[in-house]
Amino acid sequence: MLPQKQAEEAIVSNLTEMELETREEDKDEEEQQSLFSVKNLLWHGGSAWDAWFSCASNQVAQVLLTLPYSFSQLGMLSGILLQVFYGLMGSWTAYIISVLYIEYRSRKEKENVSFKNHVIQWFEVLDGLLGPYWKAAGLAFNCTFLLFGSVIQLIACASNIYYINDKLDKRTWTYIFGACCATTVFIPSFHNYRIWSFLGLGMTTYTAWYLAIAAFVHGQVDGVTHSGPKKLVLYFTGATNILYTFGGHAVTVEIMHAMWKPQKFKYIYLMATLYVFTLTLPSASAVYWAFGDELLNHSNAFSLLPKNGFRDAAVILMLIHQFITFGFACTPLYFVWEKVIGMHDTKTICLRALARLPVVIPIWFLAIIFPFFGPINSAVGALLVSFTVYIIPALAHMLTYRKASARQNAAEKPPFFMPSWTAMYAFNAFIVVWVLVVGFGFGGWASMTNFIRQIDTFGLFAKCYQCKPPPPTGAAAAAANHH
């Protein structure tokens, strides 16, 4: 009992040191900004509330507009059940990631490693706990997912603004918003997303309830049918979009590192997910109830709702929020790139911003090649999200605590609702098998089949994906009027 007690005392001491060091890291900046309390209030965040707003704001953005499309593929019952299932599964793996972060940091601080001016990232956690091969896997999947996550936000910007101003095609809007989103290079870290996270969540909340209320006010279209699920390929495509929806915790480590007390993060993602349910379930259900199978050919819910001031406000708010989410997805990529070129310790914001710009260019280019708003979500969900935030964290936790000594000296013990290490191991094993077979296997087959169909139908570099054909002119218009 004595060694165990000493180990527990060491862990408590270590966590206290972690908290003190985190505070010390921010002390200089806080002293410099002490005369600017308003700036601190809006710009410099690290509380549990800041983390909650960041998680909730980042978890659901443009995907809110594609969930009705997924419901048309899945049917109402499957859509609701899968949202709850993947939401809770995502919360569990976010918890697992937070536990591994605390474990890694506590071990490093025992070795007197300082993280001042250094942002810990997921691949570094894997490297410290499991070695270089895990680091390589984590880096490859995480960076590729965040890259395409940024691409999706850019595609969504072009898709949404088109419903306010269709004088420009979606590809042109992608050029414009690519330049706008490039300004995120000036936001140093997740500390500085305080006001943006707060505003972003307000914007998504408005949009979600606009979708639900507008759908009910509009009522069901004439002859509406709700035939989903009709085909396996559509069913698993819709399921992987929901897997993607609740897989937004690839930035968990960076959000935790921005907290003054990272050990408080454990249940924050679950609380964020419960709030997100109040946005996604009513809006997706209402729009699917109103439009039914029409949604199979309309991946953006805005396209079916009548144009008015409320819809335009929702579009504009979503555009701003997508800019914020673009920054959330890109910031970890900026950190990786800074570390590669040796600029991560640079304190000059303008110099860091200039160094970050090359990260935006491939994102811009990929958004122009694959403008398939909706289907690309499912493809990314199946091929990248499945490994990045479900399979790899669950496996990493199983391997990190496979030895009795590791479990005895663990910085975080099993949670109160699952106090057995065996139960945690079994649940992690279930996640690995389920996501590998259903998410990556069936989901990968279905989403890639659908994705390739979009390429065959619209082609790469599609100028205006799922746009209405232009009205006939000249002789064609005369012939149409004659008939």
Side-chain angles (χ1 to χ4, degrees):
M1 289 298 292
L2 188 60
Q4 183 175 352
K5 185 176 179 181
Q6 289 173 344
E8 288 175 355
E9 287 174 354
I11 289 164
V12 171
S13 171
N14 219 278
L15 290 176
T16 306
E17 288 173 14
M18 182 191 304
E19 179 184 327
L20 289 172
E21 182 176 324
T22 309
R23 287 184 174 182
E24 283 173 8
E25 287 174 13
D26 299 318
K27 188 176 179 182
D28 295 339
E29 189 174 348
E30 285 175 3
E31 286 176 355
Q32 291 171 11
Q33 295 179 352
S34 60
L35 297 176
F36 303 99
S37 57
V38 174
K39 184 179 178 182
N40 281 339
L41 179 67
L42 301 179
W43 181 248
H44 192 71
S47 68
W49 278 106
D50 288 310
W52 183 84
F53 276 112
S54 293
C55 290
S57 177
N58 182 53
Q59 189 173 151
V60 59
Q62 51 74 36
V63 77
L64 191 68
L65 307 175
T66 66
L67 284 174
Y69 168 67
S70 295
F71 268 48
S72 69
Q73 297 169 320
L74 292 163
M76 185 75 80
L77 180 61
S78 288
I80 292 171
L81 291 178
L82 283 172
Q83 275 204 44
V84 174
F85 176 69
Y86 281 128
L88 296 177
M89 186 184 286
S91 299
W92 173 258
T93 51
Y95 168 78
I96 290 298
I97 291 171
S98 73
V99 167
L100 293 173
Y101 168 86
I102 296 293
E103 183 67 39
Y104 167 77
R105 186 159 179 173
S106 64
R107 289 186 188 182
K108 286 297 179 183
E109 286 174 350
K110 286 177 184 177
E111 301 168 7
N112 296 318
V113 176
S114 172
F115 293 107
K116 189 173 183 179
N117 296 326
H118 182 92
V119 176
I120 298 173
Q121 294 190 267
W122 175 231
F123 68 90
E124 292 168 320
V125 173
L126 291 173
D127 185 28
L129 297 177
L130 296 171
Y133 292 110
W134 281 86
K135 173 187 176 180
L139 187 60
F141 277 106
N142 217 42
C143 288
T144 310
F145 166 47
L146 291 171
L147 179 79
F148 276 96
S150 305
V151 168
I152 288 168
Q153 299 308 321
L154 205 48
I155 293 169
C157 286
S159 178
N160 289 343
I161 191 63
Y162 183 77
Y163 297 113
I164 289 183
N165 185 338
D166 59 3
K167 292 179 181 177
L168 298 177
D169 59 75
K170 292 181 181 179
R171 187 166 66 194
T172 303
W173 281 120
T174 304
Y175 292 138
I176 294 168
F177 278 98
C180 294
C181 289
T183 58
T184 57
V185 297
F186 290 99
I187 302 177
S189 75
F190 283 99
H191 274 302
N192 313 111
Y193 273 96
R194 166 173 275 185
I195 187 62
W196 294 114
S197 298
F198 176 77
L199 292 175
L201 190 58
M203 293 167 188
T204 10
T205 300
Y206 171 87
T207 304
W209 285 106
Y210 157 74
L211 291 174
I213 294 167
F216 280 125
V217 170
H218 181 278
Q220 291 186 309
V221 295
D222 293 336
V224 65
T225 55
H226 300 87
S227 57
K230 291 172 73 174
K231 297 178 181 177
L232 274 179
V233 67
L234 293 179
Y235 186 87
F236 285 109
T237 300
T240 49
N241 187 38
I242 294 179
L243 179 82
Y244 168 83
T245 301
F246 294 99
H249 45 288
V251 294
T252 297
V253 170
E254 288 84 358
I255 292 174
M256 283 187 73
H257 193 81
M259 292 178 70
W260 296 316
K261 297 179 181 179
Q263 61 270 30
K264 283 190 172 183
F265 184 86
K266 289 184 290 185
Y267 303 118
I268 285 176
Y269 196 87
L270 175 62
M271 297 299 106
T273 299
L274 294 178
Y275 179 78
V276 166
F277 282 152
T278 69
L279 307 182
T280 58
L281 289 169
S283 59
S285 303
V287 176
Y288 178 54
W289 168 82
F291 297 101
D293 291 348
E294 278 192 40
L295 285 158
L296 287 169
N297 297 314
H298 295 83
S299 56
N300 190 326
F302 282 145
S303 64
L304 290 174
L305 292 165
K307 181 176 173 60
N308 54 37
F310 293 110
R311 193 190 78 164
D312 288 351
V315 170
I316 291 167
L317 291 177
M318 283 305 290
L319 286 171
I320 299 169
H321 186 258
Q322 280 148 8
F323 164 82
I324 297 167
T325 311
F326 181 94
F328 265 109
C330 248
T331 298
L333 295 177
Y334 295 152
F335 292 156
V336 172
W337 179 246
E338 287 169 359
K339 291 171 185 177
V340 167
I341 63 174
M343 296 283 287
H344 190 56
D345 295 332
T346 304
K347 293 184 178 180
T348 309
I349 290 179
C350 290
L351 194 59
R352 287 181 74 181
L354 190 63
R356 291 172 169 189
L357 275 176
V359 176
V360 181
I361 295 169
I363 295 169
W364 210 346
F365 187 62
L366 287 167
I368 293 163
I369 298 177
F370 305 115
F372 310 126
F373 184 67
I376 194 172
N377 294 17
S378 297
V380 170
L383 304 180
L384 297 172
V385 174
S386 56
F387 284 94
T388 305
V389 294
Y390 292 100
I391 294 173
I392 290 177
L395 277 175
H397 189 273
M398 293 163 70
L399 293 174
T400 299
Y401 298 110
R402 66 190 182 278
K403 294 180 180 177
S405 58
R407 295 193 293 272
Q408 183 178 351
N409 297 318
E412 287 286 340
K413 301 300 181 185
F416 69 92
F417 56 86
M418 195 180 288
S420 163
W421 284 103
T422 305
M424 288 187 76
Y425 190 94
F427 191 58
N428 284 334
F430 166 76
I431 289 174
V432 171
V433 173
W434 176 276
V435 176
L436 191 62
V437 175
V438 178
F440 177 71
F442 289 110
W445 158 73
S447 59
M448 288 310 298
T449 300
N450 189 38
F451 193 76
I452 291 167
R453 187 179 297 147
Q454 305 304 314
I455 295 175
D456 291 341
T457 304
F458 297 95
L460 298 175
F461 298 96
K463 191 173 183 179
C464 208
Y465 176 66
Q466 287 188 340
C467 297
K468 292 179 180 178
T473 56
N481 291 333
H482 176 72
H483 287 296

